[in-house]
């Protein structure tokens, strides 16, 4: 299955049928997977198939709910400098996420937020995509459904970023607390959870670099991260990514097992 052709049609159909099998007025199919694993590709395929069947569907990413740069600058000043960088728990606008899902669940017209990763800024509200009443929402994100760690698991830094910029553990503890207190309510709004499982975290920097190159190729007039910058950037995500790898295979409704080339090896039910 060449990666640029997306996921197999049979798997896409299974994901759609799984979502439509729930009793919610507007089912929410969550697709969770580490950076570069193909979440947006699978989400787009499910939306396309739904449309072919006469359903109104849309895809939305948790990345589109990142706090604005000004909001993250305020967190960086008030809590910890590392919070300037988007990504970890605590850097999302959860009230906006809930309000958006409320409108979708009520089958109301809704403007879907968008985040510009190259600009590192939320797109102006006047440019959000307008959607009418939906029959299905596909919600994708790199850590959807991931639980917080136990406090004692945070003691030892696990990469250079944590050793050099979070020696006392304040940043990772704050993010973990946010994950424990504020994100479960959002996870509970997902009717079905599919997890794209890579072989290990070691593939993520390469996958995310490929993603960055695709972003740059689509907008060659704009600047993107260098490879060293990206290697550092991925370290912001590493702790929660490893927690996802430990926990989601037993929590997700379906697990799509991928090899290091992102080809599908198996489709499994949760092991928990």
């Amino acid at each position: 299955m060449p990666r640029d052709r997306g996921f197999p049609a049979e798997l896409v159909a299974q994901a759609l049928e799984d979502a439509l099998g729930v009793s919610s007025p507007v089912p929410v199919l969550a697709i969770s997977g580490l950076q570069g694993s193909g979440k947006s590709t699978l989400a787009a395929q499910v939306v396309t198939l739904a449309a072919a069947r006469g359903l109104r569907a849309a895809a939305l990413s948790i990345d589109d709910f990142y706090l604005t740069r000004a909001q993250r600058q305020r967190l960086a000043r008030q809590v910890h400098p590392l919070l300037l960088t988007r990504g970890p728990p605590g850097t999302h606008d959860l009230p906006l996420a809930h309000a958006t899902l409320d409108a979708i669940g009520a089958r109301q017209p809704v403007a879907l937020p968008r985040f510009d990763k190259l600009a590192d800024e939320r797109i102006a509200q006047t440019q959000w995509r307008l959607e009418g009443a939906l029959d299905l929402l596909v919600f994708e994100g790199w850590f959807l459904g991931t639980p917080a760690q136990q406090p004692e698991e945070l003691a030892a830094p696990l990469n250079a970023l944590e050793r050099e910029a979070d020696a006392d553990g304040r940043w990772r503890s704050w993010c973990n607390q946010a994950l424990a207190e504020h994100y479960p309510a959002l996870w509970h709004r997902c009717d079905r959870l599919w997890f794209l499982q890579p072989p290990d975290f070691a593939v993520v920097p390469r996958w995310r670099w490929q993603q960055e190159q695709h972003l740059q190729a689509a907008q060659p007039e704009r600047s993107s991260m260098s490879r060293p910058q990206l290697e550092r950037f991925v370290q912001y995500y590493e702790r929660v990514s490893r927690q996802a790898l430990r926990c989601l295979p037993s929590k997700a409704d379906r697990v799509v097992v991928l090899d290091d080339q992102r080809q599908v090896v198996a489709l499994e039910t949760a092991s928990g």
Side-chain angles (χ1 to χ4, degrees), residues 145-151 153-154 175-181 184 187 243 247:
T146 304
Q149 292 183 274
Q150 295 301 312
E153 297 177 290
L154 307 175
C175 293
N176 191 65
Q177 182 103 6
L179 182 56
E181 294 183 359
W187 302 163
Q243 174 75 343
C247 299

Side-chain angles (χ1 to χ4, degrees), residues 10-45:
E10 181 181 357
L11 185 146
V12 176
Q14 286 179 285
L16 178 59
E17 293 299 333
D18 191 38
L20 297 178
V22 305
S23 58
S24 300
V26 183
V28 178
L29 169 64
I31 300 175
S32 189
L34 306 192
Q35 291 177 292
S37 59
K39 302 178 297 298
S40 59
T41 297
L42 180 56
Q45 288 181 269

Side-chain angles (χ1 to χ4, degrees), residues 104-164:
I104 291 171
R107 298 183 62 81
Q108 298 172 352
V110 63
L112 301 182
R114 286 290 180 264
F115 191 89
D116 184 337
K117 291 182 177 179
L118 290 182
D120 191 29
E121 184 62 278
R122 187 186 299 164
I123 293 174
Q125 189 169 352
T126 55
Q127 299 178 44
W128 294 1
R129 193 176 81 236
L130 295 175
E131 291 285 352
L134 296 177
D135 301 307
L136 170 69
L137 176 68
V138 184
F139 187 36
E140 56 96 349
W142 70 275
F143 70 116
L144 297 186
T146 304
Q149 292 183 274
Q150 295 301 312
E152 59 271 18
E153 297 177 290
L154 307 175
L158 55 71
N159 57 34
L161 176 77
E162 292 189 359
R163 287 191 299 273
E164 297 165 5

Side-chain angles (χ1 to χ4, degrees), residues 14-237:
Q14 286 179 285
L16 178 59
E17 293 299 333
D18 191 38
L20 297 178
V22 305
S23 58
S24 300
V26 183
V28 178
L29 169 64
I31 300 175
S32 189
L34 306 192
Q35 291 177 292
S37 59
K39 302 178 297 298
S40 59
T41 297
L42 180 56
Q45 288 181 269
V46 172
V47 168
T48 298
L49 180 58
R53 296 187 182 183
L55 300 171
R56 181 126 191 186
L60 187 61
S61 173
I62 196 169
D63 293 356
D64 291 316
F65 295 107
Y66 282 136
L67 295 172
T68 66
R69 187 166 184 84
Q71 290 171 319
R72 286 179 280 124
Q73 287 173 332
R74 188 158 51 249
L75 277 179
R77 290 192 302 269
Q78 296 175 351
V79 181
H80 195 285
L82 288 180
L83 289 169
L84 177 62
T85 299
R86 69 180 190 262
T91 63
H92 301 87
D93 188 336
L94 295 183
L96 176 61
H98 284 291
T100 303
L101 291 177
D102 284 344
I104 291 171
R107 298 183 62 81
Q108 298 172 352
V110 63
L112 301 182
R114 286 290 180 264
F115 191 89
D116 184 337
K117 291 182 177 179
L118 290 182
D120 191 29
E121 184 62 278
R122 187 186 299 164
I123 293 174
Q125 189 169 352
T126 55
Q127 299 178 44
W128 294 1
R129 193 176 81 236
L130 295 175
E131 291 285 352
L134 296 177
D135 301 307
L136 170 69
L137 176 68
V138 184
F139 187 36
E140 56 96 349
W142 70 275
F143 70 116
L144 297 186
T146 304
Q149 292 183 274
Q150 295 301 312
E152 59 271 18
E153 297 177 290
L154 307 175
L158 55 71
N159 57 34
L161 176 77
E162 292 189 359
R163 287 191 299 273
E164 297 165 5
D166 188 41
D168 61 3
R170 285 191 304 115
W171 170 73
R172 56 186 180 268
S173 294
W174 189 90
C175 293
N176 191 65
Q177 182 103 6
L179 182 56
E181 294 183 359
H182 305 306
Y183 287 78
L186 187 60
W187 302 163
H188 290 156
R189 304 190 70 148
C190 301
D191 297 298
R192 303 294 288 172
L193 176 62
W194 283 50
F195 178 50
L196 305 182
Q197 181 181 356
D200 51 45
F201 182 79
V203 301
V204 172
R206 173 166 56 87
W207 287 0
R208 184 58 181 82
W209 176 241
Q210 292 169 350
Q211 187 181 60
E212 190 73 10
Q213 290 178 305
H214 291 154
L215 286 171
Q216 178 65 43
Q219 298 178 291
E221 73 284 359
R222 302 176 64 189
S223 61
S224 62
M225 285 186 278
S226 66
R227 187 62 184 263
Q229 287 173 325
L230 184 132
E231 295 280 352
R232 180 80 166 182
F233 180 65
V234 168
Q235 293 182 30
Y236 284 81
Y237 295 75

